Amino acid sequence: MSGIKRAVLFAHLQDLDAPHHLGPAIASVTAATTEALIIVLVSQLFRTASNRIEQWDDVQRLLTYVYVKATKAAQDLGKVLLDISVVLKDPSGSFPSNFGNGMDMCFRIQGDPPVPHLPDSIETLPQVFVVPDKVIEMHQQHSVRVAPSCDTSALSYPVVALGGTFDHLHAGHKILLSMAAWIASSKVIVGVTDDELLRNKSNKHVLESMAVRMERTRSFLQLFRPDLEYEIVAIRDALVVSMETLPGAASIGKKRAAESLPPLRTFVIDVISSESEKLDYEDMEMLKQTKLSSTFIRDWIVKNAV
């Protein structure tokens, strides 16, 4: 399977556990693709009526496993710039009419049921079936459910805000953006760091312009959840929900309190930390070997004169 620049992989899920049985299929499809890969995970558990706050930990664990598996496979082959996106799809929902435009190949998991409501742009693609690891699937231990790490009194939030640099949009960024969109019911506001604040970044000459970073951020979010409204703005301050930037959220909370504004609910993306306690040993080791960093990507571009 040579010459596949852009591909899509569909896989059905029965639960929200890390799909280790799909690991070999994800790796092989990643190896066959050179420019862009969309992995569509299909499950009734992704219905918008579900309690998305309660599913917070499970969904970020799921996304992390799939992103890290695909990203590590790409990096091992020197395909650092392969654009990998993961989409969570309710089988009763429809796809945008332009979904799949420009794709060269559609991969499916052998034994999976058909994916309903596919647009013609996907149906007319060459189809390749990949085999899951049935041995892993039979012996896979399902996660023991623990108390959610956040307040689950709400099903979702009308408006969710986050911010970051989003240079050379990578798996870490996409997990962050996906989880923001996951818990939103109406709108996501994304602050993108202004170019002026990035003067001291390493290898600044290969840093993407703010216009490019904003457009790539919007394009990914519209792919992940086209039903939401997105406001992408330039910022000089940001509410970034990762373990490394949690103190920034606290300082914003203090500023809002001083101005008599209501507090913001803060959700933390913690599974992409190499110290996370929410991943099993095997997944943690894979994460430690995978570089989810814009700095790493810029360094790679400079060293390889891309």
Side-chain angles (χ1 to χ4, degrees):
M1 291 184 293
S2 60
I4 303 174
K5 292 183 177 181
R6 305 174 67 83
V8 59
L9 167 65
F10 291 95
H12 285 259
L13 299 179
Q14 300 300 317
D15 53 50
L16 297 180
D17 289 316
H20 293 101
H21 65 290
L22 295 179
I26 292 170
S28 65
V29 171
T30 301
T33 309
T34 60
E35 291 186 4
L37 171 63
I38 299 176
I39 300 172
V40 182
L41 304 177
V42 183
S43 175
Q44 294 183 352
L45 296 170
F46 300 145
R47 290 184 173 172
T48 54
S50 60
N51 189 328
R52 295 190 162 218
I53 308 301
E54 190 174 68
Q55 294 171 324
W56 173 267
D57 289 333
D58 292 334
V59 171
Q60 64 167 318
R61 253 195 311 265
L62 169 65
L63 286 171
T64 297
Y65 173 80
V66 176
Y67 267 117
V68 171
K69 187 70 180 178
T71 300
K72 185 176 186 304
Q75 290 180 357
D76 287 348
L77 294 171
K79 297 191 289 187
V80 172
L81 299 183
L82 178 62
D83 185 15
I84 299 165
S85 299
V86 180
V87 176
L88 308 180
K89 195 67 181 174
D90 170 10
S92 65
S94 60
F95 288 83
S97 59
N98 63 349
F99 183 85
N101 284 356
M103 291 291 176
D104 301 311
M105 183 73 70
C106 175
F107 292 93
R108 299 190 183 189
I109 301 299
Q110 185 172 305
D112 272 4
V115 180
H117 313 301
L118 286 178
D120 290 341
S121 55
I122 293 293
E123 293 282 16
T124 56
L125 287 175
Q127 309 283 313
V128 173
F129 289 87
V130 287
V131 182
D133 192 323
K134 290 296 185 182
V135 175
I136 294 179
E137 186 174 25
M138 286 189 298
H139 293 87
Q140 182 171 340
Q141 294 184 349
H142 296 289
S143 302
V144 176
R145 293 289 177 256
V146 297
S149 62
C150 51
D151 177 13
T152 62
S153 57
L155 296 180
S156 62
Y157 287 89
V159 180
V160 177
L162 69 156
T165 301
F166 302 113
D167 178 46
H168 294 283
L169 203 66
H170 57 67
H173 295 141
K174 290 181 178 181
I175 294 169
L176 179 64
L177 292 166
S178 298
M179 293 309 301
W182 175 256
I183 61 171
S185 60
S186 180
K187 182 178 183 179
V188 175
I189 302 171
V190 183
V192 178
T193 309
D194 189 275
D195 290 336
E196 188 64 23
L197 296 181
L198 303 177
R199 289 177 295 178
N200 296 324
K201 285 282 188 181
S202 63
N203 293 313
K204 183 183 180 300
H205 62 291
V206 295
L207 186 80
E208 293 175 325
S209 69
M210 187 175 69
V212 170
R213 290 182 282 119
M214 293 175 78
E215 179 54 35
R216 292 197 66 195
T217 298
R218 181 184 297 278
S219 294
F220 170 73
L221 285 168
Q222 290 174 334
L223 171 69
F224 185 79
R225 275 198 69 184
D227 59 308
L228 296 178
E229 176 187 355
Y230 297 107
E231 183 178 351
I232 315 296
V233 298
I235 59 166
R236 295 181 178 275
D237 222 352
L239 177 62
V240 183
V241 284
S242 67
M243 290 298 287
E244 291 77 8
T245 54
L246 189 56
S251 66
I252 289 175
K254 291 179 181 178
K255 185 175 181 180
R256 288 178 64 86
E259 297 180 4
S260 299
L261 294 172
L264 292 176
R265 284 284 293 110
T266 301
F267 289 82
V268 180
I269 302 292
D270 53 1
V271 295
I272 55 176
S273 165
S274 61
E275 303 300 323
S276 173
E277 296 179 355
K278 295 180 179 177
L279 299 179
D280 62 27
Y281 176 80
E282 178 184 340
D283 293 348
M284 180 57 66
E285 289 303 303
M286 182 172 64
L287 174 59
K288 289 178 179 178
Q289 297 171 34
T290 309
K291 299 177 177 64
L292 305 181
S293 161
S294 296
T295 300
F296 165 73
I297 294 174
R298 290 196 301 274
D299 288 346
W300 185 89
I301 291 173
V302 171
K303 289 177 183 177
N304 290 271
V306 175

